[in-house]
Amino acid sequence: MTIKSSVEIITEWDIVAARQLGRDEAKALGFDTVDQARITTAISELARNIYLYARIGVIEIEKVETDTEKKIIVVATDQGPGIEDVRKVMEDGYSTSGGLGAGLPGVNRLMDNMVIQSFMGKGTTIRAEKWLR
């Protein structure tokens, strides 16, 4: 069974809504509080990046539950400027906004799998998965 929910990211309050939705979905799937916090933090970073760099986008949260696996999939999509150098943004300490540069590398560490697709002038899609163990 797969269930999808989404939050459109337009304002800072939408970041909060996406975080809460992610926490609720993770809890409902059976993730412990530590993994709920990891998932929530990853969603927060992805939604914040949409808000800062693309202005508008969507966070989709998908619960997957089969006989053999349970996982949560977070997909962040925007039609913003795109990421010029995906390898560079995955380096700890690299920042284009003057921040700590821990954002996407941190998401990658918090989740079990992450894939970035970005096209200059067309936008970015980031898919991150966390499996229930």
Side-chain angles (χ1 to χ4, degrees):
M1 177 170 70
T2 299
I3 299 171
K4 277 188 184 180
S5 304
S6 65
V7 175
E8 190 170 18
I9 306 299
I10 299 171
T11 71
E12 287 185 276
W13 289 108
D14 299 326
I15 299 169
V16 175
R19 284 175 55 92
Q20 188 59 51
L21 176 63
R23 183 178 299 280
D24 292 346
E25 296 291 0
K27 185 176 182 181
L29 201 54
F31 283 95
D32 63 23
T33 54
V34 172
D35 277 339
Q36 288 174 39
R38 287 181 177 123
I39 292 164
T40 302
T41 302
I43 291 169
S44 182
E45 183 58 38
L46 293 171
R48 184 180 157 282
N49 282 354
I50 289 171
Y51 179 74
L52 286 176
Y53 299 110
R55 300 288 179 226
I56 297 174
V58 175
I59 296 286
E60 291 180 333
I61 298 167
E62 183 178 350
K63 288 189 315 186
V64 177
E65 189 170 4
T66 68
D67 291 337
T68 58
E69 71 176 347
K70 289 184 182 183
K71 65 182 174 181
I72 196 160
I73 301 170
V74 179
V75 180
T77 307
D78 67 61
Q79 281 77 49
I83 300 170
E84 187 172 346
D85 188 343
V86 172
R87 273 194 220 157
K88 192 81 171 160
V89 299
M90 291 306 295
E91 293 176 9
D92 282 316
Y94 178 79
S95 175
T96 57
S97 67
L100 297 175
L104 291 178
V107 172
N108 192 43
R109 283 190 293 273
L110 292 167
M111 303 296 276
D112 294 319
N113 186 45
M114 186 173 87
V115 176
I116 301 173
Q117 291 183 310
S118 190
F119 302 96
M120 294 307 297
K122 296 189 180 197
T124 301
T125 299
I126 300 174
R127 177 186 168 103
E129 299 181 358
K130 187 73 169 171
W131 303 299
L132 183 66
R133 293 181 167 78

